[in-house]
Amino acid sequence: MNKIDLSTEKLKEQVKNLSESAEQLPQKVKNLSDNATQQIRNLSESAGQQVKNIADNAEQLPQKVKDLSDNATQQIRNLSESADQLPQKVMQIQKKMDGEIRNWVFHNLDDLPKGIASNHLTDVCLVLEGGAFRGLYTSGVCDALMEADINARCTIGVSAGALNGINYVAGQIGRAAHINLKYRNDPRYVGGLAYMQNHGIIGFDFLFGDAGKEYPLDSVRFYAPNRRFVAVATNCMTGQPEFFERGECEDILQACRASASMPFVSQMVYIGEQPYLDGGCSDAIPYQWAIDEGYDKIIIVRTRADEFRQERETMDNPATRTMYRNYPALERALVESASRYNKQCNDIEMLRRKKKVFVISPSEEIDIGRLERDTKRLGDVYYMGYKDTKRLMPRLKEYLNKGE
C-alpha cells in the first residue's frame, strides 16, 4: 500500500470519530444543562432556608431583647440591694475584726492580781495537773493560794502544771497569768515561729528568754533549797513517768520543757541521752508520787471538772501507731492514757471522800481548746480558778489544820 492509501484511511478514521463525537454532543449538553439546573435549584432552596431562618430570628428578636433587658434590670436591682447592704456588712466585718483584735491581748492585764508571796511555808504537797491553756485555771488557783499565805513546802507539776509551779515556787503572784494572757497570740510563744525555733508548738526559748526579761523570774527564791519542786516527764523509751526534782536533776527548766512538750506537735526533748515528752502521756495527775513520798496533806489542782471522764481511748488511732512506731512503749502509754486517766480520777474521788486529799477543780467545765486563742475566754478561766479557790478557802484551811 502506498502513502496515498494510508492518508486516505487515516482521514476516514478521523471523520468517523468526529461523527461519533457529534452524535454524543446533544447528550453532553443535556447533562450539563441538568447539572446546572440542579445546582440552581439547590442554591435557591438554601437561600430560601436562610431567608426563613432570618425571618424566624427576626420574629424572636423582640423576646430576646426583652429577656436581656429583664436580666440587666435584675442585675442592676441586685447590685443596688448589695450596695444598700454594704455598710451593714462592712460594719459586721469591722465588729468581728475589732473583737479579734481586742482579744488578741487580754485587755485587763493591769487588773490581774500581782505581788510577792510571803516566805511562810505550809507543810503540804501541791499536785498540779496539766492541760495546755486550761492551765490558766491553775494560775488562778496558785495566785489565790499565795495571797492566802499558803506556800506549799513541796510542789509537783505535769506539763502546764509544771510551768505554773515555777511561778508558784518563786512566789510571784500574777506572773504566769500576765505572760500567758499577754503573749498567747505572739507567734514566738505559740505557733509557726515557735515551731521553727523550738521544733514544737510552744516557744520555750521565748518563754524562758524574752518573756522572762519583761517578767523576770525570781531565780534566787525559785532555787532556794527550803522548798521541793518536781516536774514530771515521760521517758519515750520506757513509756514511764520520771520525776525530775530541782536541786537533784541537772537542769530543772529543761525538765519543765520536756514535761510540757505535747505529743504530735512537739519534738522530743533530750535530757542526757534519753528522749522525753509531756508528763501527761504517762501520769496526768501525779498524786501517787506525793503519797509515796509520805505527805499526809495533799492539795490536788485539777483542770477538769470532777465528773469529767475520757469517753474512749482517743490516742488509739493510726496516727499514734505511725508517728511513734519506733517507740512502742510510748505508743502503748498513749493508747492506754484515757483508761489510766479515768482510774486516776476515780482514785482521787475516793481519796477525797476519805479526806486524804483536798481537791480544787473547776466549778464548771472549761470549754476551751487546748491552744485557745481568745484571751478573754482564757482570762475567764484564770478568774474561775482564782474565785473557786477563794470560795473553798475556809474548807481548805480546815483541811490543812487537821491534826494540829
Side-chain angles (χ1 to χ4, degrees):
M1 184 179 293
N2 57 34
K3 291 182 179 181
I4 293 174
D5 293 335
L6 288 172
S7 297
T8 301
E9 290 296 327
K10 185 179 289 188
L11 184 60
K12 287 180 180 180
E13 182 66 28
Q14 290 177 356
V15 170
K16 181 180 177 185
N17 291 339
L18 287 171
S19 176
E20 291 175 354
S21 296
E23 290 175 356
Q24 295 172 356
L25 185 59
Q27 184 61 42
K28 291 181 177 180
V29 170
K30 183 179 182 299
N31 291 342
L32 288 172
S33 176
D34 292 344
N35 187 37
T37 301
Q38 185 61 45
Q39 290 186 21
I40 290 169
R41 185 180 295 113
N42 292 342
L43 287 172
S44 176
E45 291 175 355
S46 176
Q49 186 61 44
Q50 291 183 22
V51 170
K52 183 178 182 299
N53 291 341
I54 291 172
D56 291 343
N57 288 334
E59 290 176 358
Q60 296 172 3
L61 186 59
Q63 184 60 42
K64 290 182 177 180
V65 170
K66 182 179 183 302
D67 292 343
L68 288 172
S69 176
D70 292 344
N71 187 37
T73 301
Q74 185 60 45
Q75 290 186 23
I76 292 171
R77 184 179 297 113
N78 292 341
L79 287 172
S80 177
E81 292 175 355
S82 297
D84 292 341
Q85 296 171 0
L86 187 59
Q88 181 66 24
K89 290 182 178 179
V90 170
M91 187 175 298
Q92 291 173 353
I93 294 171
Q94 185 65 47
K95 285 182 178 179
K96 183 178 179 181
M97 291 177 63
D98 288 346
E100 291 177 352
I101 292 171
R102 185 167 54 252
N103 293 335
W104 191 258
V105 175
F106 188 65
H107 61 283
N108 288 329
L109 281 174
D110 292 339
D111 296 333
L112 291 171
K114 50 183 174 290
I116 303 298
S118 75
N119 290 314
H120 174 265
L121 296 183
T122 302
D123 288 325
V124 66
C125 182
L126 181 65
V127 178
L128 305 177
E129 183 181 2
F133 278 93
R134 292 198 308 275
L136 263 298
Y137 181 85
T138 305
S139 301
V141 173
C142 289
D143 286 347
L145 291 176
M146 286 188 280
E147 288 183 345
D149 208 25
I150 300 175
N151 305 299
R153 191 172 293 278
C154 177
T155 301
I156 180 170
V158 174
S159 194
L163 298 179
N164 272 302
I166 293 173
N167 302 287
Y168 176 72
V169 173
Q172 294 177 269
I173 300 170
R175 182 175 185 269
H178 275 84
I179 290 174
N180 282 291
L181 294 176
K182 180 172 183 178
Y183 292 115
R184 164 57 190 90
N185 290 299
D186 190 315
R188 296 173 297 172
Y189 183 29
V190 185
L193 190 56
Y195 200 92
M196 290 173 59
Q197 295 175 342
N198 291 158
H199 307 293
I201 198 67
I202 302 298
F204 294 105
D205 287 349
F206 174 78
L207 179 61
F208 297 140
D210 290 346
K213 293 177 182 176
E214 182 171 1
Y215 300 101
L217 176 69
D218 186 344
S219 298
V220 173
R221 188 164 181 176
F222 174 67
Y223 286 102
N226 61 335
R227 300 177 73 172
R228 297 181 71 185
F229 175 61
V230 179
V232 186
T234 300
N235 187 313
C236 298
M237 301 303 297
T238 66
Q240 295 299 311
E242 292 190 13
F243 305 91
F244 295 90
E245 185 164 356
R246 186 210 57 207
E248 295 185 5
C249 67
E250 183 176 345
D251 186 347
I252 187 62
L253 295 184
Q254 182 74 351
C256 289
R257 182 186 296 235
S259 178
S261 290
M262 293 181 285
F264 303 104
V265 293
S266 306
Q267 287 192 0
M268 296 174 182
V269 175
Y270 278 80
I271 299 176
E273 296 182 353
Q274 294 294 309
Y276 294 87
L277 278 176
D278 197 306
C281 298
S282 57
D283 192 356
I285 316 172
Y287 63 90
Q288 189 60 49
W289 179 91
I291 294 173
D292 294 343
E293 288 292 305
Y295 290 98
D296 61 353
K297 295 177 182 177
I298 301 170
I299 302 172
I300 301 174
V301 179
R302 302 283 313 280
T303 56
R304 292 285 197 184
D306 291 332
E307 62 275 11
F308 176 83
R309 299 293 185 274
Q310 297 281 359
E311 294 183 359
R312 58 188 177 86
E313 297 289 359
T314 55
M315 295 291 187
D316 188 5
N317 55 56
T320 301
R321 291 187 286 274
T322 299
M323 190 162 188
Y324 297 115
R325 61 185 179 279
N326 296 326
Y327 300 89
L330 174 64
E331 177 192 335
R332 185 166 56 256
L334 289 169
V335 167
E336 297 172 354
S337 60
S339 58
R340 184 171 54 250
Y341 180 82
N342 290 345
K343 182 180 184 304
Q344 287 187 320
C345 293
N346 294 336
D347 289 347
I348 289 171
E349 185 58 33
M350 180 188 66
L351 290 168
R352 172 163 52 182
R353 287 199 299 267
K354 293 181 178 180
K355 301 186 183 304
K356 298 291 187 181
V357 301
F358 190 92
V359 180
I360 301 175
S361 57
S363 51
E364 58 186 75
E365 186 58 53
I366 299 176
D367 185 21
I368 63 170
R370 290 181 64 82
L371 297 174
E372 179 65 51
R373 298 176 63 92
D374 189 331
T375 57
K376 182 182 182 304
R377 298 183 72 189
L378 292 175
D380 291 342
V381 171
Y382 168 83
Y383 278 111
M384 186 195 301
Y386 185 80
K387 293 175 182 178
D388 283 353
T389 306
K390 294 284 189 181
R391 176 175 50 81
L392 293 171
M393 193 59 65
R395 290 168 51 195
L396 174 57
K397 289 185 176 181
E398 180 182 349
Y399 167 81
L400 293 174
N401 291 330
K402 69 178 182 179
E404 293 185 358

